[in-house]
Structures are given as C-alpha cells and as structure tokens.
Amino acid sequence: MSAIWILLGGCICLALGYFVYSAWLEKEWGVDNSRTTPAHEMYDGIDYVPAKAPVLFGHHFSSIAGAGPINGPIQAAIFGWLPCLLWIVFGGIFFGAAHDYGALFASVRHKGATIGQIIAQNIGERAKKLFILFAYLTLLLVIAAFASIVAGTFSGYTASGELNPANGSTATISILFIVLAVAFGYLVNRRHLSLTIGSAVGVIGLVLCIVLGMAFPIYISGKTWMYLLGVYIFVASVTPVWILLQPRDYLSSFLLYAMIIAAVIGVIGCNPTLELPAFVGFEVNGQYLFPILFVTIACGAISGFHSLIASGTTSKQLSCEKDARLIGYGGMIVECVLAIISLIAVGYIYSKAGPDAFKIPPTKVFAQGIAEMLGSVGLTSPEAQQTAFGLLILSVSAFCLTSLDTGTRLARYLFNEFWLRPGETPETVMGFRSVLCNKYFSTALAVVLGIGFGMTGWSKVWPLFGAANQLLAGLALLAVASWLKNAARNHRMLVFPMIFMLIVTLSSLVITFVSKVRVLAAGAGDMYGPAIQATLAGVLFVLALFLVREALPVLKEGLKK
C-alpha cells in the first residue's frame, strides 16, 4: 500500500470530522460564546488565567501528546496497518475528539472543576471520591514513568559509565528552553509584547537553544536528574500558569508542528510502498486484537489522560467557549495525524527489517523512519539524517517533560477536590483539611510519591496503565454524558463510545487478572509483579462496575426522554 494514500485518506476523514461532526456537537451541546468562562469569572493570576486560543492550543496539545500517539500505533501494528488506521481515524473522530471536547466543555460549565467534581454534581459524592482516588493513583504512575523516561534521556552517562553527548545535549536544550519560556511569558503577559512578534522571537530562541545545547552538553547522572526533576515539577506546578506552563507549552508546540510538517514532507517525498500486511489476524503471538488494539492505541484514538488535562488546566485558561472546539476537538484531531504518521513509520521500517521492526523501541522506529524518508528530499548524508534523528528524539522527550509537570498540577487539583465538601473551595476549608487542601502540601506530596515510585517499582505496574487509562476514558464519557442529560442536552452520541470503552477495559482487566493468577499459581519466578498487577486489575474492575451502577439511573432516565 502506498504511504501517501494512507496519509491523505486519513487526513481527509479527520478534516471532515472536525468541520462537520464537531460543528454538530457544538450546536447540540449549546456552546455559547456570550457566557463568561471560569478563566475570567474566577481569575486568580495563578491557575485561572485566560489565554489566547493559539497559546492555549499549544499548552493543551503539548500536554496530551507525549509519546503516546507514537508508541501505541507502532506497537499495535503487529495486527496490520488497516485495523490500526480505522481505529485511529474513526476512533479519533467519534470517540477521542468528542471525549476531549466534552470533558473540556463540561469542566467550563462547572467553573473549571475536574471530572471528579462533575461526577459529584451529576452522579454522587461517593462516586466522585472513588473516581478521584483512581485518577490520582493513575497520575502518580504517570509522574513516576515520565520522570524516569525524562531522566533517562537526560542522563549524561551510558550504562557502562561512558559519556553520552546526545543525552547531555538534550538536557542542556531543555534547561535553556525553560529559561526561554519564562522570558517569553513575562514579555507577552506582563510587558504586553505582541504574540506574533513574541512567537517569531521565541522560535528563533528555540533554534538557538538547540544549537547551544548541541555544543555544550551537560553530564549529570540519571539518579541526580530524578531529584532535580522533582524540584522542577514542584516549582512548575505551583507557579502562575502564565509564567511557565502557558509559554513553555506554547513554544514546545512549535517543535511538534515542525516534527509533523517534516514527517509529512518525508512521506510525500519518499512515498514508500508499505510491505506491512494490511491485516495479520485476530490473534498474533498470543495477543488478541480485541481488546489489545483498543488499549494499546490510546492517545492516537482516545485517552482518559486527556480528560484530566482538559478538565484540569485547559478549562481554567479558556477565554471563550467557542475556543473549546478548536482546542478540545481540534487538538485530538492533530494528534490522530501524528498517530497515522507513526503507523507509516513502522510500515517503512518493516519494509526493511521485517518482523524485527517490532523489537526496536517505538520512539527509535519513529525517528529512524522519518529521518530516512527525509533522505529522499535532501537529507542524503548520514550526518544530516543523524541530526534529524536526534531532533525527533528531542521533540518526544520535550513532550514527556511537558506532560510530567502538567500531571503534577493535575494531581494537586484532584487531591484538593477529594477533601472538599459540596460548596467548599480550598480557600474556605477549615481545620486539618485546610492543610490537606494547601497547594504546597498537596503538590509536595504528589512529587515525593511520584518521584519515589519512579525510583523504585513503577515498572511493575506499568503494564496495567493502558487498561487504566482507557478505563479513565470510559468513566469520563460516563460523567460528561450524565451532565449533558441533566442539562437537558443531547448526550446519546457519547453513550456507545462509553459502553464500548468500558467493555474494552473490563475485558482487558479480566484477561490480565486471569493471566497473573495463573502465573502466581505456577509459583515460578518473581511473584511481586504478578501479585500487584492481579490485585490492581481486580480493584479497577470493581471500581468501574460501581461507578456504572451509580450512573445507570441517571442515564436510563436520559435515554427514556
């Protein structure tokens, strides 16, 4: 199959989804640009700060992207490119983008509250507490994993103790980039520099950061970087969003835009014929297409983590309701494009390496595939392709760092909301709960737990993250559908995606539970990993059933009407 037709066909479908389906959703949900958003109504200069649409799109897109839309399609391609493409395109249009848009819009109508508070007001207080507990534990796992990944890409030494210039350069570039972002935020938000001029200067500064970083690498061990990252994410999560989070994510998005544009140029210029089979089978190497495909391709089609971003940081910065469509729905559509490019990259590498392509780390498959395809449009020398490879890896690392501190801020929001009673805010809480709702305490707790987990045993439970993340998506759809029903708005378009995602995740959890129990029964090898995975799979399964039971009366009444 020609790669250019895969890319072109996918992009046309995604564009139609945005211009037709999201416009219909906007009308059905009653988006009203005359309403005052929480960013203006509850402005505090720290978390609630209105942002211009391009800036907020950059923050939202950078936060939801990470390595997910790259890793998922590449790993799921063992089933063939066709089922992956169909899930990315149609899952993205009717599941993921609607999920992100709905979570963002629902949060805006709930004064910028997270999905947990939306559940409390539309389903019940007990359901809220269980959801927040589950989401908080998921975020701790994200902090642990992403901190470990970033520290690994920053570590200045190889496993054998030798200097690693590539990682050292990535670390230098990232540090310089943070300084650049702070300067950009100050000039644009406090000195009122034009966003156009600031963006041009920021992009030039970004290029300068890359040049200086490649010339002056920093050599610090991965363990030390874990401690430094802990300090960084604490500071980044309590400072006003306008000074670091908004500008850093906005400027970071230019890296991703450049990466996508370069990849599209490479695909069109090279136009490889993919030898990867269109469909391999429903069972491959002991893995079944259902539910594995729909759990593995998460961020490229639908991801529960996106609902936490949309209802956590993005909703508190939305300047007007009309922007929600571009940022919530449009951000996911662009991520689907990145997922299609990742699928083409693994198909290109498969044409050269065969099945061994699936033994190569996904980020390396992506970077190598795009770099080699760019060779057909001018980057013919090995040195030029190696530079392109390094910049692509840098882009992925930058978005992991973005998701890391955004996740920490979200953990703070959720922890605070867990202790709040109806009608309370963190500022009005009295007694011991005032300590628990203190932003410095709750942020420090998330940092200590997340970084500590990242330095010990996060990898033991990481295999469950895919199912947990997709369960989060199903529960977010449940919350948004319940609110839409109570608000007398059309919620039926979310019912099937919600049911499908719950069936997918519950099936995946049952399979995991049974397989780990069999490992424990065999009594061979490491028992801790299988035991903790079996326990958590059972807990997540029960949690999902409980929340569905709580919400069922609400949804039944809505469907009757």
Side-chain angles (χ1 to χ4, degrees):
M1 181 68 177
S2 173
I4 195 170
W5 288 114
I6 293 177
L7 180 62
L8 183 62
C11 288
I12 290 175
C13 291
L14 292 171
L16 287 173
Y18 177 78
F19 289 109
V20 178
Y21 188 60
S22 70
W24 179 74
L25 292 178
E26 184 178 64
K27 180 180 178 181
E28 289 293 301
W29 292 347
V31 175
D32 184 359
N33 219 33
S34 66
R35 295 176 66 109
T36 302
T37 62
H40 293 283
E41 180 184 352
M42 304 176 68
Y43 176 85
D44 61 5
I46 299 175
D47 297 315
Y48 290 85
V49 179
K52 295 179 180 179
V55 176
L56 188 54
F57 185 93
H59 155 68
H60 183 77
F61 188 36
S62 298
S63 298
I64 67 173
I70 294 173
N71 290 352
I74 291 175
Q75 292 172 328
I78 60 171
F79 295 106
W81 63 262
L82 183 58
C84 296
L85 181 65
L86 293 175
W87 175 233
I88 290 169
V89 172
F90 294 104
I93 292 171
F94 299 106
F95 286 62
H99 162 274
D100 294 12
Y101 186 16
L104 174 56
F105 183 53
S107 178
V108 169
R109 289 294 178 90
H110 287 77
K111 299 185 181 298
T114 68
I115 292 294
Q117 286 289 70
I118 296 171
I119 287 177
Q121 294 185 37
N122 294 278
I123 298 178
E125 192 68 21
R126 289 184 305 173
K128 161 206 159 182
K129 288 188 177 297
L130 282 175
F131 175 86
I132 288 179
L133 181 62
F134 161 62
Y136 186 78
L137 293 175
T138 302
L139 283 173
L140 291 182
L141 182 55
V142 169
I143 295 170
F146 280 28
S148 181
I149 292 170
V150 172
T153 60
F154 283 5
S155 178
Y157 302 94
T158 64
S160 60
E162 299 175 353
L163 294 179
N164 190 331
N167 283 13
S169 294
T170 300
T172 303
I173 294 169
S174 298
I175 292 173
L176 292 174
F177 184 60
I178 291 171
V179 176
L180 173 66
V182 171
F184 177 89
Y186 173 75
L187 291 174
V188 171
N189 294 291
R190 288 298 179 266
R191 305 304 297 177
H192 306 296
L193 179 68
S194 164
L195 181 61
T196 302
I197 297 175
S199 300
V201 174
V203 171
I204 294 172
L206 180 58
V207 174
L208 184 60
C209 289
I210 293 173
V211 173
L212 291 174
M214 296 182 73
F216 302 101
I218 295 175
Y219 297 107
I220 299 176
S221 69
K223 185 176 181 180
T224 303
W225 272 119
M226 287 292 285
Y227 292 118
L228 293 175
L229 285 171
V231 174
Y232 165 73
I233 61 176
F234 175 83
V235 174
S237 300
V238 298
T239 52
V241 292
W242 62 265
I243 191 65
L244 179 58
L245 184 138
Q246 276 184 4
R248 194 249 358 251
D249 293 356
Y250 173 63
L251 292 176
S252 291
S253 65
F254 284 101
L255 272 177
L256 190 51
Y257 302 151
M259 181 174 73
I260 292 176
I261 292 171
V264 170
I265 292 173
V267 171
I268 294 175
C270 181
N271 191 21
T273 299
L274 305 185
E275 296 179 11
L276 179 68
F279 180 66
V280 176
F282 289 100
E283 187 272 329
V284 180
N285 299 330
Q287 300 187 76
Y288 294 92
L289 186 144
F290 183 91
I292 299 300
L293 175 74
F294 307 99
V295 171
T296 304
I297 301 181
C299 292
I302 181 172
S303 168
F305 181 65
H306 294 188
S307 69
L308 300 183
I309 299 290
S311 67
T313 55
T314 306
S315 63
K316 295 176 176 63
Q317 302 171 64
L318 193 75
S319 185
C320 59
E321 285 195 355
K322 286 288 185 181
D323 290 345
R325 178 185 168 200
L326 170 67
I327 294 163
Y329 198 98
M332 183 63 214
I333 289 298
V334 177
E335 190 161 11
C336 291
V337 174
L338 181 57
I340 294 174
I341 292 171
S342 302
L343 185 62
I344 292 173
V346 69
Y348 176 83
I349 296 298
Y350 184 92
S351 301
K352 293 174 172 287
D356 288 341
F358 299 114
K359 299 178 182 179
I360 305 172
T363 51
K364 185 177 180 181
V365 168
F366 176 82
Q368 182 179 334
I370 300 303
E372 290 185 9
M373 281 189 279
L374 284 170
S376 62
V377 292
L379 297 182
T380 54
S381 68
E383 294 79 9
Q385 290 188 18
Q386 188 60 37
T387 300
F389 177 89
L391 291 176
L392 289 165
I393 293 293
L394 168 66
S395 299
V396 176
S397 175
F399 294 110
C400 287
L401 183 60
T402 296
S403 299
L404 176 61
D405 61 62
T406 301
T408 307
R409 189 179 288 259
L410 292 173
R412 186 240 295 180
Y413 293 156
L414 288 170
F415 187 82
N416 290 348
E417 287 184 2
F418 183 85
W419 302 102
L420 295 178
R421 294 167 185 163
E424 289 182 335
T425 65
E427 293 74 27
T428 60
V429 174
M430 303 296 290
F432 181 67
R433 288 186 299 124
S434 65
V435 177
L436 298 174
C437 292
N438 179 276
K439 72 175 183 178
Y440 298 105
F441 174 81
S442 53
T443 303
L445 181 64
V447 170
V448 171
L449 292 175
I451 296 297
F453 194 29
M455 299 179 73
T456 53
W458 69 272
S459 59
K460 297 289 185 181
V461 297
W462 183 252
L464 272 177
F465 176 74
N469 183 52
Q470 298 303 68
L471 175 57
L472 196 60
L475 297 177
L477 288 167
L478 178 67
V480 176
S482 299
W483 165 68
L484 286 171
K485 178 267 163 187
N486 287 332
R489 293 290 179 183
N490 186 359
H491 67 286
R492 291 179 177 83
M493 75 289 289
L494 300 182
V495 173
F496 176 74
M498 174 198 71
I499 294 173
F500 182 81
M501 294 313 300
L502 289 175
I503 292 174
V504 163
T505 51
L506 293 177
S507 301
S508 178
L509 290 171
V510 168
I511 292 172
T512 299
F513 180 81
V514 171
S515 65
K516 299 309 172 185
V517 168
R518 286 176 177 172
V519 171
L520 293 172
D526 175 31
M527 293 290 102
Y528 173 74
I532 192 69
Q533 288 182 42
T535 302
L536 288 176
V539 170
L540 292 177
F541 186 90
V542 173
L543 168 66
L545 292 183
F546 177 83
L547 286 172
V548 170
R549 189 193 71 177
E550 291 284 302
L552 201 56
V554 177
L555 291 177
K556 273 186 176 180
E557 185 65 23
L559 289 174
K560 286 180 182 178
K561 292 182 180 180

